[in-house]
Amino acid sequence: MRHPLPFPAAVLAVLLAVSPATAATPATGDWAPLTTSSAPLRSSLFEDVLGMERGPDGLIYVCGWFLDAGGDPTADYLAVYDPATEGWHGLGSNGAGNGAFDGPVYAMAWYHGTLIVGGSFSDAGGMATADNLAAWTGSTWTSRLSVGHALSPFNDAVNTLAVAGDSLYVGGDFTNASELGAGDAIVRWNGRDLSTVAPVAAADGPFAGGTSVGDIATTADGRLWVVGANGATTLVAAWDPGAAMWSGLGGPAFVSNAGFAYTVAVNATGTAVTIGGSFLDWGGAATADGVARWNGTAWSGLGSNGAGDGALAVGTVSDLRYYGTSLLVAGNFTGPSQDLAAWNGSKWLAMGTDAPGILHGILPVGRVLYAGGSFSNMGGHASADSIAAYGLAAPPSAPRSLAAAAGSKRITLSWAAPVMTNGAPVMDYVVQYRKAGTTPWKTFADGVRTTRSAAITGLTKGATYQVRVLAVNDWGTGATSAVLSRKAG
């Protein structure tokens, strides 16, 4: 799955707390190479990295066009990086001392604990039916999705994989997957067999012949969003599982002469769908250049350059990833910063890159962002070629030493600043309260300010209230302070 759903704030806070520090963990705003401990001055990769995913084992899986990652002759097109040991290794081999793949790997996903990879390769690990898609058993490669068929189910490249519940969605350039007439460009695997993602009784695929699906985003309820192309036309479409129908977003599914969309991301509720690519004025929105958001009724850009156009001077937006409540955007562009930036919901945040080239894929893990692409000397490090790690900022830690004093229909609070601002200054404190025994917290409207005191007024005399304070920076709202109980006078 190229674009996992955003972490809830509580989960992100845990990840930030437990992410281990290693020699490859850079300081906030800095870059570090992912070199091996045995060869710290030698680049681990020399060719394009296309994508990365974090495995359930905590390791970083990397795919692309490269050979011999970290000096391992079996790490061709797919390699594994261990942040704790700073080691690289391949998975399996071709039996002749090289890697299991003879062509590039484009996508990876974990389906019920099994690593599934897609790309443009044949006979992965020597398995005759493992063309363009293969599964790793832990010791060997197999064609997990070829049940009941003597031939590979995929006759052309697999570009993207996405998991939602018990469903694995496969998108690419293929036709008639697993001999299904409607198995063109996208199909679904339920652990037993492949099925189409098409209207009921469709004789052919859901899109026009020759369509390539480049990326898929999904929510837990089974809704899908895809981007791709058919010749000079761009595909941006949504699948409604209830109606079993595909539709465009505010227009036809295929758009002509509008540029191309390469990546799609969706928030947890499916209320904000964002696409990235090489386009201008998507959906007629003047600020929708390179990145555009669909809110269910209309397209819009994310901010602007102050002159009526989009904030990004775009060559290409290649990847979108959620990090907490912020959307990370990577590619080949200038604007808030070069090739890498973040949208926090109201403004762009600059993130430093210092290398000519393009970022193809990014992966946030705790406060480390792994970035891969076609570049050299990232951040001024001579060994940071094709892949590097960046230190991410984060929401602040909890305000400290909360004190509360009751008054006439009020509670007056004071507190100390968080120990850690995590790379971005505190810009506001959120004061919350509720009657004891009730669930919803209310936010006291005291404006945006960094003063470390507040008086919650308008309370019910004699009622007991719980109070707490949270700090906010550009990267989100941090952890809560201690919760105190006071009876209003």
PDB file of all heavy atoms in Angstrom, residues 263 273-282 285 287-294 299-303 310-312 314 316-317 319-320 327-329 333 343 348:
ATOM      1  N   THR A 263      -0.523  10.137  -7.965  1.00  0.00           N
ATOM      2  CA  THR A 263      -0.652   9.655  -6.589  1.00  0.00           C
ATOM      3  C   THR A 263      -1.947  10.170  -5.978  1.00  0.00           C
ATOM      4  O   THR A 263      -2.434  11.240  -6.353  1.00  0.00           O
ATOM      5  CB  THR A 263       0.572  10.094  -5.756  1.00  0.00           C
ATOM      6  OG1 THR A 263       0.444   9.618  -4.418  1.00  0.00           O
ATOM      7  CG2 THR A 263       0.734  11.606  -5.736  1.00  0.00           C
ATOM      8  N   VAL A 273     -10.046  13.879  -0.325  1.00  0.00           N
ATOM      9  CA  VAL A 273      -9.252  13.084  -1.261  1.00  0.00           C
ATOM     10  C   VAL A 273      -8.286  14.024  -1.963  1.00  0.00           C
ATOM     11  O   VAL A 273      -8.703  15.026  -2.552  1.00  0.00           O
ATOM     12  CB  VAL A 273     -10.159  12.382  -2.293  1.00  0.00           C
ATOM     13  CG1 VAL A 273      -9.322  11.550  -3.245  1.00  0.00           C
ATOM     14  CG2 VAL A 273     -11.200  11.531  -1.592  1.00  0.00           C
ATOM     15  N   THR A 274      -7.000  13.719  -1.893  1.00  0.00           N
ATOM     16  CA  THR A 274      -5.983  14.589  -2.484  1.00  0.00           C
ATOM     17  C   THR A 274      -5.234  13.838  -3.570  1.00  0.00           C
ATOM     18  O   THR A 274      -4.843  12.684  -3.373  1.00  0.00           O
ATOM     19  CB  THR A 274      -4.987  15.069  -1.421  1.00  0.00           C
ATOM     20  OG1 THR A 274      -5.694  15.660  -0.335  1.00  0.00           O
ATOM     21  CG2 THR A 274      -4.029  16.093  -1.999  1.00  0.00           C
ATOM     22  N   ILE A 275      -5.057  14.474  -4.712  1.00  0.00           N
ATOM     23  CA  ILE A 275      -4.275  13.890  -5.794  1.00  0.00           C
ATOM     24  C   ILE A 275      -3.049  14.756  -6.052  1.00  0.00           C
ATOM     25  O   ILE A 275      -3.048  15.966  -5.785  1.00  0.00           O
ATOM     26  CB  ILE A 275      -5.093  13.748  -7.097  1.00  0.00           C
ATOM     27  CG1 ILE A 275      -5.541  15.107  -7.634  1.00  0.00           C
ATOM     28  CG2 ILE A 275      -6.293  12.832  -6.882  1.00  0.00           C
ATOM     29  CD1 ILE A 275      -6.158  15.062  -9.022  1.00  0.00           C
ATOM     30  N   GLY A 276      -1.994  14.117  -6.542  1.00  0.00           N
ATOM     31  CA  GLY A 276      -0.786  14.837  -6.910  1.00  0.00           C
ATOM     32  C   GLY A 276      -0.327  14.403  -8.287  1.00  0.00           C
ATOM     33  O   GLY A 276      -0.574  13.271  -8.707  1.00  0.00           O
ATOM     34  N   GLY A 277       0.346  15.304  -8.994  1.00  0.00           N
ATOM     35  CA  GLY A 277       0.818  14.961 -10.328  1.00  0.00           C
ATOM     36  C   GLY A 277       1.471  16.136 -11.004  1.00  0.00           C
ATOM     37  O   GLY A 277       2.056  17.011 -10.366  1.00  0.00           O
ATOM     38  N   SER A 278       1.353  16.163 -12.317  1.00  0.00           N
ATOM     39  CA  SER A 278       1.878  17.262 -13.128  1.00  0.00           C
ATOM     40  C   SER A 278       0.706  17.883 -13.870  1.00  0.00           C
ATOM     41  O   SER A 278       0.439  17.548 -15.018  1.00  0.00           O
ATOM     42  CB  SER A 278       2.944  16.750 -14.104  1.00  0.00           C
ATOM     43  OG  SER A 278       2.421  15.722 -14.927  1.00  0.00           O
ATOM     44  N   PHE A 279      -0.006  18.761 -13.193  1.00  0.00           N
ATOM     45  CA  PHE A 279      -1.194  19.401 -13.780  1.00  0.00           C
ATOM     46  C   PHE A 279      -1.321  20.824 -13.262  1.00  0.00           C
ATOM     47  O   PHE A 279      -0.718  21.197 -12.245  1.00  0.00           O
ATOM     48  CB  PHE A 279      -2.463  18.599 -13.474  1.00  0.00           C
ATOM     49  CG  PHE A 279      -2.670  18.283 -12.015  1.00  0.00           C
ATOM     50  CD1 PHE A 279      -3.126  19.242 -11.118  1.00  0.00           C
ATOM     51  CD2 PHE A 279      -2.416  17.007 -11.524  1.00  0.00           C
ATOM     52  CE1 PHE A 279      -3.319  18.947  -9.776  1.00  0.00           C
ATOM     53  CE2 PHE A 279      -2.602  16.700 -10.180  1.00  0.00           C
ATOM     54  CZ  PHE A 279      -3.059  17.678  -9.306  1.00  0.00           C
ATOM     55  N   LEU A 280      -2.114  21.598 -13.969  1.00  0.00           N
ATOM     56  CA  LEU A 280      -2.432  22.969 -13.581  1.00  0.00           C
ATOM     57  C   LEU A 280      -3.938  23.137 -13.540  1.00  0.00           C
ATOM     58  O   LEU A 280      -4.666  22.566 -14.352  1.00  0.00           O
ATOM     59  CB  LEU A 280      -1.833  23.982 -14.571  1.00  0.00           C
ATOM     60  CG  LEU A 280      -0.308  23.994 -14.729  1.00  0.00           C
ATOM     61  CD1 LEU A 280       0.099  24.946 -15.848  1.00  0.00           C
ATOM     62  CD2 LEU A 280       0.367  24.376 -13.429  1.00  0.00           C
ATOM     63  N   ASP A 281      -4.422  23.897 -12.576  1.00  0.00           N
ATOM     64  CA  ASP A 281      -5.837  24.290 -12.498  1.00  0.00           C
ATOM     65  C   ASP A 281      -6.772  23.090 -12.533  1.00  0.00           C
ATOM     66  O   ASP A 281      -7.788  23.098 -13.237  1.00  0.00           O
ATOM     67  CB  ASP A 281      -6.190  25.243 -13.642  1.00  0.00           C
ATOM     68  CG  ASP A 281      -5.344  26.504 -13.645  1.00  0.00           C
ATOM     69  OD1 ASP A 281      -4.671  26.768 -12.638  1.00  0.00           O
ATOM     70  OD2 ASP A 281      -5.350  27.214 -14.668  1.00  0.00           O
ATOM     71  N   TRP A 282      -6.444  22.046 -11.774  1.00  0.00           N
ATOM     72  CA  TRP A 282      -7.278  20.844 -11.806  1.00  0.00           C
ATOM     73  C   TRP A 282      -8.713  21.174 -11.378  1.00  0.00           C
ATOM     74  O   TRP A 282      -8.936  21.883 -10.402  1.00  0.00           O
ATOM     75  CB  TRP A 282      -6.709  19.766 -10.889  1.00  0.00           C
ATOM     76  CG  TRP A 282      -7.438  18.475 -11.060  1.00  0.00           C
ATOM     77  CD1 TRP A 282      -8.514  18.018 -10.358  1.00  0.00           C
ATOM     78  CD2 TRP A 282      -7.179  17.494 -12.069  1.00  0.00           C
ATOM     79  NE1 TRP A 282      -8.933  16.812 -10.853  1.00  0.00           N
ATOM     80  CE2 TRP A 282      -8.131  16.463 -11.903  1.00  0.00           C
ATOM     81  CE3 TRP A 282      -6.233  17.380 -13.085  1.00  0.00           C
ATOM     82  CZ2 TRP A 282      -8.153  15.340 -12.722  1.00  0.00           C
ATOM     83  CZ3 TRP A 282      -6.269  16.262 -13.889  1.00  0.00           C
ATOM     84  CH2 TRP A 282      -7.213  15.249 -13.701  1.00  0.00           C
ATOM     85  N   ALA A 285      -9.939  24.858 -10.659  1.00  0.00           N
ATOM     86  CA  ALA A 285      -9.478  25.660  -9.522  1.00  0.00           C
ATOM     87  C   ALA A 285      -8.104  26.240  -9.838  1.00  0.00           C
ATOM     88  O   ALA A 285      -7.148  25.498 -10.066  1.00  0.00           O
ATOM     89  CB  ALA A 285      -9.422  24.808  -8.262  1.00  0.00           C
ATOM     90  N   THR A 287      -5.814  27.516  -8.110  1.00  0.00           N
ATOM     91  CA  THR A 287      -4.720  27.195  -7.190  1.00  0.00           C
ATOM     92  C   THR A 287      -4.396  25.705  -7.151  1.00  0.00           C
ATOM     93  O   THR A 287      -3.496  25.286  -6.413  1.00  0.00           O
ATOM     94  CB  THR A 287      -5.057  27.663  -5.766  1.00  0.00           C
ATOM     95  OG1 THR A 287      -6.256  27.017  -5.334  1.00  0.00           O
ATOM     96  CG2 THR A 287      -5.241  29.171  -5.720  1.00  0.00           C
ATOM     97  N   ALA A 288      -5.120  24.895  -7.931  1.00  0.00           N
ATOM     98  CA  ALA A 288      -4.920  23.436  -7.913  1.00  0.00           C
ATOM     99  C   ALA A 288      -3.845  23.047  -8.915  1.00  0.00           C
ATOM    100  O   ALA A 288      -4.120  22.434  -9.946  1.00  0.00           O
ATOM    101  CB  ALA A 288      -6.230  22.717  -8.196  1.00  0.00           C
ATOM    102  N   ASP A 289      -2.608  23.396  -8.604  1.00  0.00           N
ATOM    103  CA  ASP A 289      -1.462  23.116  -9.466  1.00  0.00           C
ATOM    104  C   ASP A 289      -0.587  22.066  -8.791  1.00  0.00           C
ATOM    105  O   ASP A 289      -0.014  22.308  -7.728  1.00  0.00           O
ATOM    106  CB  ASP A 289      -0.632  24.379  -9.690  1.00  0.00           C
ATOM    107  CG  ASP A 289      -1.420  25.493 -10.356  1.00  0.00           C
ATOM    108  OD1 ASP A 289      -2.439  25.190 -10.999  1.00  0.00           O
ATOM    109  OD2 ASP A 289      -1.017  26.667 -10.225  1.00  0.00           O
ATOM    110  N   GLY A 290      -0.494  20.888  -9.414  1.00  0.00           N
ATOM    111  CA  GLY A 290       0.341  19.827  -8.881  1.00  0.00           C
ATOM    112  C   GLY A 290      -0.275  19.047  -7.747  1.00  0.00           C
ATOM    113  O   GLY A 290       0.026  17.874  -7.557  1.00  0.00           O
ATOM    114  N   VAL A 291      -1.120  19.684  -6.970  1.00  0.00           N
ATOM    115  CA  VAL A 291      -1.818  19.019  -5.877  1.00  0.00           C
ATOM    116  C   VAL A 291      -3.209  19.621  -5.780  1.00  0.00           C
ATOM    117  O   VAL A 291      -3.388  20.834  -5.883  1.00  0.00           O
ATOM    118  CB  VAL A 291      -1.026  19.150  -4.550  1.00  0.00           C
ATOM    119  CG1 VAL A 291      -0.870  20.596  -4.134  1.00  0.00           C
ATOM    120  CG2 VAL A 291      -1.639  18.326  -3.450  1.00  0.00           C
ATOM    121  N   ALA A 292      -4.217  18.761  -5.638  1.00  0.00           N
ATOM    122  CA  ALA A 292      -5.608  19.217  -5.619  1.00  0.00           C
ATOM    123  C   ALA A 292      -6.404  18.360  -4.650  1.00  0.00           C
ATOM    124  O   ALA A 292      -6.141  17.165  -4.498  1.00  0.00           O
ATOM    125  CB  ALA A 292      -6.229  19.141  -7.013  1.00  0.00           C
ATOM    126  N   ARG A 293      -7.378  18.976  -3.987  1.00  0.00           N
ATOM    127  CA  ARG A 293      -8.185  18.265  -2.992  1.00  0.00           C
ATOM    128  C   ARG A 293      -9.658  18.307  -3.352  1.00  0.00           C
ATOM    129  O   ARG A 293     -10.199  19.349  -3.735  1.00  0.00           O
ATOM    130  CB  ARG A 293      -7.963  18.874  -1.609  1.00  0.00           C
ATOM    131  CG  ARG A 293      -8.852  18.274  -0.509  1.00  0.00           C
ATOM    132  CD  ARG A 293      -8.276  18.505   0.859  1.00  0.00           C
ATOM    133  NE  ARG A 293      -7.059  17.715   1.055  1.00  0.00           N
ATOM    134  CZ  ARG A 293      -6.323  17.770   2.163  1.00  0.00           C
ATOM    135  NH1 ARG A 293      -6.664  18.581   3.154  1.00  0.00           N
ATOM    136  NH2 ARG A 293      -5.243  17.025   2.282  1.00  0.00           N
ATOM    137  N   TRP A 294     -10.312  17.145  -3.207  1.00  0.00           N
ATOM    138  CA  TRP A 294     -11.748  16.981  -3.464  1.00  0.00           C
ATOM    139  C   TRP A 294     -12.448  16.826  -2.116  1.00  0.00           C
ATOM    140  O   TRP A 294     -12.106  15.937  -1.323  1.00  0.00           O
ATOM    141  CB  TRP A 294     -11.974  15.758  -4.339  1.00  0.00           C
ATOM    142  CG  TRP A 294     -13.408  15.373  -4.552  1.00  0.00           C
ATOM    143  CD1 TRP A 294     -14.073  14.312  -4.006  1.00  0.00           C
ATOM    144  CD2 TRP A 294     -14.358  16.040  -5.388  1.00  0.00           C
ATOM    145  NE1 TRP A 294     -15.373  14.277  -4.445  1.00  0.00           N
ATOM    146  CE2 TRP A 294     -15.581  15.332  -5.292  1.00  0.00           C
ATOM    147  CE3 TRP A 294     -14.295  17.169  -6.198  1.00  0.00           C
ATOM    148  CZ2 TRP A 294     -16.725  15.710  -5.989  1.00  0.00           C
ATOM    149  CZ3 TRP A 294     -15.434  17.545  -6.890  1.00  0.00           C
ATOM    150  CH2 TRP A 294     -16.627  16.823  -6.787  1.00  0.00           C
ATOM    151  N   TRP A 299     -13.342  20.764  -6.273  1.00  0.00           N
ATOM    152  CA  TRP A 299     -11.885  20.702  -6.212  1.00  0.00           C
ATOM    153  C   TRP A 299     -11.335  22.043  -5.748  1.00  0.00           C
ATOM    154  O   TRP A 299     -11.888  23.102  -6.061  1.00  0.00           O
ATOM    155  CB  TRP A 299     -11.299  20.387  -7.581  1.00  0.00           C
ATOM    156  CG  TRP A 299     -11.489  18.974  -8.028  1.00  0.00           C
ATOM    157  CD1 TRP A 299     -12.441  18.501  -8.892  1.00  0.00           C
ATOM    158  CD2 TRP A 299     -10.713  17.838  -7.627  1.00  0.00           C
ATOM    159  NE1 TRP A 299     -12.308  17.146  -9.053  1.00  0.00           N
ATOM    160  CE2 TRP A 299     -11.254  16.706  -8.293  1.00  0.00           C
ATOM    161  CE3 TRP A 299      -9.615  17.666  -6.794  1.00  0.00           C
ATOM    162  CZ2 TRP A 299     -10.730  15.434  -8.134  1.00  0.00           C
ATOM    163  CZ3 TRP A 299      -9.097  16.392  -6.634  1.00  0.00           C
ATOM    164  CH2 TRP A 299      -9.641  15.293  -7.294  1.00  0.00           C
ATOM    165  N   SER A 300     -10.226  21.989  -5.023  1.00  0.00           N
ATOM    166  CA  SER A 300      -9.541  23.210  -4.615  1.00  0.00           C
ATOM    167  C   SER A 300      -8.051  22.921  -4.513  1.00  0.00           C
ATOM    168  O   SER A 300      -7.625  21.764  -4.450  1.00  0.00           O
ATOM    169  CB  SER A 300     -10.062  23.709  -3.267  1.00  0.00           C
ATOM    170  OG  SER A 300      -9.755  22.778  -2.239  1.00  0.00           O
ATOM    171  N   GLY A 301      -7.269  23.983  -4.498  1.00  0.00           N
ATOM    172  CA  GLY A 301      -5.852  23.841  -4.243  1.00  0.00           C
ATOM    173  C   GLY A 301      -5.589  23.834  -2.749  1.00  0.00           C
ATOM    174  O   GLY A 301      -6.496  23.985  -1.927  1.00  0.00           O
ATOM    175  N   LEU A 302      -4.342  23.640  -2.392  1.00  0.00           N
ATOM    176  CA  LEU A 302      -3.910  23.737  -0.999  1.00  0.00           C
ATOM    177  C   LEU A 302      -3.078  25.007  -0.883  1.00  0.00           C
ATOM    178  O   LEU A 302      -1.886  25.020  -1.198  1.00  0.00           O
ATOM    179  CB  LEU A 302      -3.086  22.509  -0.594  1.00  0.00           C
ATOM    180  CG  LEU A 302      -3.767  21.143  -0.762  1.00  0.00           C
ATOM    181  CD1 LEU A 302      -2.863  20.027  -0.269  1.00  0.00           C
ATOM    182  CD2 LEU A 302      -5.093  21.098  -0.020  1.00  0.00           C
ATOM    183  N   GLY A 303      -3.723  26.080  -0.450  1.00  0.00           N
ATOM    184  CA  GLY A 303      -3.032  27.355  -0.375  1.00  0.00           C
ATOM    185  C   GLY A 303      -2.736  27.924  -1.750  1.00  0.00           C
ATOM    186  O   GLY A 303      -3.236  27.441  -2.772  1.00  0.00           O
ATOM    187  N   GLY A 310      -1.270  28.143  -7.658  1.00  0.00           N
ATOM    188  CA  GLY A 310      -0.961  27.213  -6.592  1.00  0.00           C
ATOM    189  C   GLY A 310       0.358  27.516  -5.904  1.00  0.00           C
ATOM    190  O   GLY A 310       1.221  28.230  -6.438  1.00  0.00           O
ATOM    191  N   ALA A 311       0.523  26.976  -4.695  1.00  0.00           N
ATOM    192  CA  ALA A 311       1.726  27.234  -3.903  1.00  0.00           C
ATOM    193  C   ALA A 311       2.953  26.533  -4.467  1.00  0.00           C
ATOM    194  O   ALA A 311       4.077  26.939  -4.182  1.00  0.00           O
ATOM    195  CB  ALA A 311       1.492  26.793  -2.464  1.00  0.00           C
ATOM    196  N   LEU A 312       2.735  25.478  -5.255  1.00  0.00           N
ATOM    197  CA  LEU A 312       3.845  24.710  -5.799  1.00  0.00           C
ATOM    198  C   LEU A 312       4.098  25.098  -7.252  1.00  0.00           C
ATOM    199  O   LEU A 312       3.174  25.072  -8.068  1.00  0.00           O
ATOM    200  CB  LEU A 312       3.560  23.212  -5.729  1.00  0.00           C
ATOM    201  CG  LEU A 312       3.165  22.639  -4.368  1.00  0.00           C
ATOM    202  CD1 LEU A 312       2.952  21.134  -4.482  1.00  0.00           C
ATOM    203  CD2 LEU A 312       4.198  22.970  -3.306  1.00  0.00           C
ATOM    204  N   VAL A 314       5.276  23.592 -10.162  1.00  0.00           N
ATOM    205  CA  VAL A 314       5.317  22.143 -10.278  1.00  0.00           C
ATOM    206  C   VAL A 314       6.069  21.662 -11.495  1.00  0.00           C
ATOM    207  O   VAL A 314       5.880  22.145 -12.599  1.00  0.00           O
ATOM    208  CB  VAL A 314       3.874  21.600 -10.315  1.00  0.00           C
ATOM    209  CG1 VAL A 314       3.884  20.096 -10.561  1.00  0.00           C
ATOM    210  CG2 VAL A 314       3.193  21.894  -9.003  1.00  0.00           C
ATOM    211  N   THR A 316       6.561  17.925 -10.881  1.00  0.00           N
ATOM    212  CA  THR A 316       5.797  16.716 -10.578  1.00  0.00           C
ATOM    213  C   THR A 316       5.606  16.590  -9.072  1.00  0.00           C
ATOM    214  O   THR A 316       6.523  16.847  -8.300  1.00  0.00           O
ATOM    215  CB  THR A 316       6.538  15.461 -11.068  1.00  0.00           C
ATOM    216  OG1 THR A 316       6.732  15.540 -12.476  1.00  0.00           O
ATOM    217  CG2 THR A 316       5.754  14.193 -10.759  1.00  0.00           C
ATOM    218  N   VAL A 317       4.414  16.182  -8.657  1.00  0.00           N
ATOM    219  CA  VAL A 317       4.194  15.657  -7.313  1.00  0.00           C
ATOM    220  C   VAL A 317       4.069  14.146  -7.453  1.00  0.00           C
ATOM    221  O   VAL A 317       3.192  13.643  -8.150  1.00  0.00           O
ATOM    222  CB  VAL A 317       2.938  16.252  -6.657  1.00  0.00           C
ATOM    223  CG1 VAL A 317       2.568  15.495  -5.383  1.00  0.00           C
ATOM    224  CG2 VAL A 317       3.152  17.721  -6.334  1.00  0.00           C
ATOM    225  N   ASP A 319       4.421  11.687  -4.641  1.00  0.00           N
ATOM    226  CA  ASP A 319       3.952  10.891  -3.513  1.00  0.00           C
ATOM    227  C   ASP A 319       3.310  11.791  -2.478  1.00  0.00           C
ATOM    228  O   ASP A 319       3.740  12.937  -2.256  1.00  0.00           O
ATOM    229  CB  ASP A 319       5.113  10.115  -2.890  1.00  0.00           C
ATOM    230  CG  ASP A 319       4.656   8.902  -2.095  1.00  0.00           C
ATOM    231  OD1 ASP A 319       3.451   8.578  -2.137  1.00  0.00           O
ATOM    232  OD2 ASP A 319       5.496   8.274  -1.429  1.00  0.00           O
ATOM    233  N   LEU A 320       2.276  11.248  -1.834  1.00  0.00           N
ATOM    234  CA  LEU A 320       1.558  11.913  -0.748  1.00  0.00           C
ATOM    235  C   LEU A 320       1.475  10.940   0.419  1.00  0.00           C
ATOM    236  O   LEU A 320       1.075   9.786   0.240  1.00  0.00           O
ATOM    237  CB  LEU A 320       0.138  12.300  -1.177  1.00  0.00           C
ATOM    238  CG  LEU A 320      -0.003  13.221  -2.395  1.00  0.00           C
ATOM    239  CD1 LEU A 320      -1.461  13.259  -2.851  1.00  0.00           C
ATOM    240  CD2 LEU A 320       0.477  14.632  -2.056  1.00  0.00           C
ATOM    241  N   LEU A 327      -0.206  16.571   5.746  1.00  0.00           N
ATOM    242  CA  LEU A 327       0.004  15.824   4.506  1.00  0.00           C
ATOM    243  C   LEU A 327       1.378  16.165   3.963  1.00  0.00           C
ATOM    244  O   LEU A 327       1.671  17.336   3.671  1.00  0.00           O
ATOM    245  CB  LEU A 327      -1.076  16.178   3.484  1.00  0.00           C
ATOM    246  CG  LEU A 327      -1.025  15.396   2.167  1.00  0.00           C
ATOM    247  CD1 LEU A 327      -1.359  13.921   2.404  1.00  0.00           C
ATOM    248  CD2 LEU A 327      -1.993  15.997   1.152  1.00  0.00           C
ATOM    249  N   LEU A 328       2.244  15.159   3.859  1.00  0.00           N
ATOM    250  CA  LEU A 328       3.569  15.350   3.285  1.00  0.00           C
ATOM    251  C   LEU A 328       3.495  15.192   1.775  1.00  0.00           C
ATOM    252  O   LEU A 328       2.852  14.271   1.266  1.00  0.00           O
ATOM    253  CB  LEU A 328       4.551  14.336   3.869  1.00  0.00           C
ATOM    254  CG  LEU A 328       4.660  14.278   5.393  1.00  0.00           C
ATOM    255  CD1 LEU A 328       5.669  13.224   5.810  1.00  0.00           C
ATOM    256  CD2 LEU A 328       5.015  15.630   5.978  1.00  0.00           C
ATOM    257  N   VAL A 329       4.163  16.080   1.059  1.00  0.00           N
ATOM    258  CA  VAL A 329       4.109  16.125  -0.406  1.00  0.00           C
ATOM    259  C   VAL A 329       5.537  16.069  -0.940  1.00  0.00           C
ATOM    260  O   VAL A 329       6.389  16.857  -0.518  1.00  0.00           O
ATOM    261  CB  VAL A 329       3.409  17.409  -0.885  1.00  0.00           C
ATOM    262  CG1 VAL A 329       3.338  17.455  -2.406  1.00  0.00           C
ATOM    263  CG2 VAL A 329       2.008  17.515  -0.273  1.00  0.00           C
ATOM    264  N   PHE A 333       9.580  19.987  -7.368  1.00  0.00           N
ATOM    265  CA  PHE A 333       8.889  21.269  -7.412  1.00  0.00           C
ATOM    266  C   PHE A 333       9.635  22.280  -6.546  1.00  0.00           C
ATOM    267  O   PHE A 333      10.533  21.940  -5.763  1.00  0.00           O
ATOM    268  CB  PHE A 333       7.439  21.142  -6.907  1.00  0.00           C
ATOM    269  CG  PHE A 333       7.298  20.519  -5.541  1.00  0.00           C
ATOM    270  CD1 PHE A 333       7.545  21.249  -4.377  1.00  0.00           C
ATOM    271  CD2 PHE A 333       6.926  19.195  -5.407  1.00  0.00           C
ATOM    272  CE1 PHE A 333       7.412  20.674  -3.128  1.00  0.00           C
ATOM    273  CE2 PHE A 333       6.786  18.605  -4.152  1.00  0.00           C
ATOM    274  CZ  PHE A 333       7.035  19.354  -3.007  1.00  0.00           C
ATOM    275  N   TRP A 343       1.602  20.157   4.211  1.00  0.00           N
ATOM    276  CA  TRP A 343       0.394  20.975   4.348  1.00  0.00           C
ATOM    277  C   TRP A 343      -0.263  20.591   5.668  1.00  0.00           C
ATOM    278  O   TRP A 343      -0.646  19.443   5.875  1.00  0.00           O
ATOM    279  CB  TRP A 343      -0.542  20.718   3.172  1.00  0.00           C
ATOM    280  CG  TRP A 343      -1.868  21.406   3.281  1.00  0.00           C
ATOM    281  CD1 TRP A 343      -3.066  20.831   3.568  1.00  0.00           C
ATOM    282  CD2 TRP A 343      -2.131  22.806   3.086  1.00  0.00           C
ATOM    283  NE1 TRP A 343      -4.066  21.776   3.575  1.00  0.00           N
ATOM    284  CE2 TRP A 343      -3.524  23.001   3.282  1.00  0.00           C
ATOM    285  CE3 TRP A 343      -1.337  23.908   2.778  1.00  0.00           C
ATOM    286  CZ2 TRP A 343      -4.129  24.250   3.164  1.00  0.00           C
ATOM    287  CZ3 TRP A 343      -1.933  25.161   2.665  1.00  0.00           C
ATOM    288  CH2 TRP A 343      -3.307  25.321   2.850  1.00  0.00           C
ATOM    289  N   TRP A 348       1.344  25.903   4.351  1.00  0.00           N
ATOM    290  CA  TRP A 348       2.461  25.049   3.956  1.00  0.00           C
ATOM    291  C   TRP A 348       3.616  25.217   4.927  1.00  0.00           C
ATOM    292  O   TRP A 348       3.901  26.322   5.384  1.00  0.00           O
ATOM    293  CB  TRP A 348       2.931  25.397   2.541  1.00  0.00           C
ATOM    294  CG  TRP A 348       2.022  24.898   1.474  1.00  0.00           C
ATOM    295  CD1 TRP A 348       1.048  25.597   0.821  1.00  0.00           C
ATOM    296  CD2 TRP A 348       1.993  23.570   0.940  1.00  0.00           C
ATOM    297  NE1 TRP A 348       0.418  24.788  -0.095  1.00  0.00           N
ATOM    298  CE2 TRP A 348       0.974  23.542  -0.038  1.00  0.00           C
ATOM    299  CE3 TRP A 348       2.719  22.412   1.180  1.00  0.00           C
ATOM    300  CZ2 TRP A 348       0.672  22.398  -0.771  1.00  0.00           C
ATOM    301  CZ3 TRP A 348       2.426  21.267   0.465  1.00  0.00           C
ATOM    302  CH2 TRP A 348       1.415  21.267  -0.506  1.00  0.00           C
TER     303      TRP A 348
END
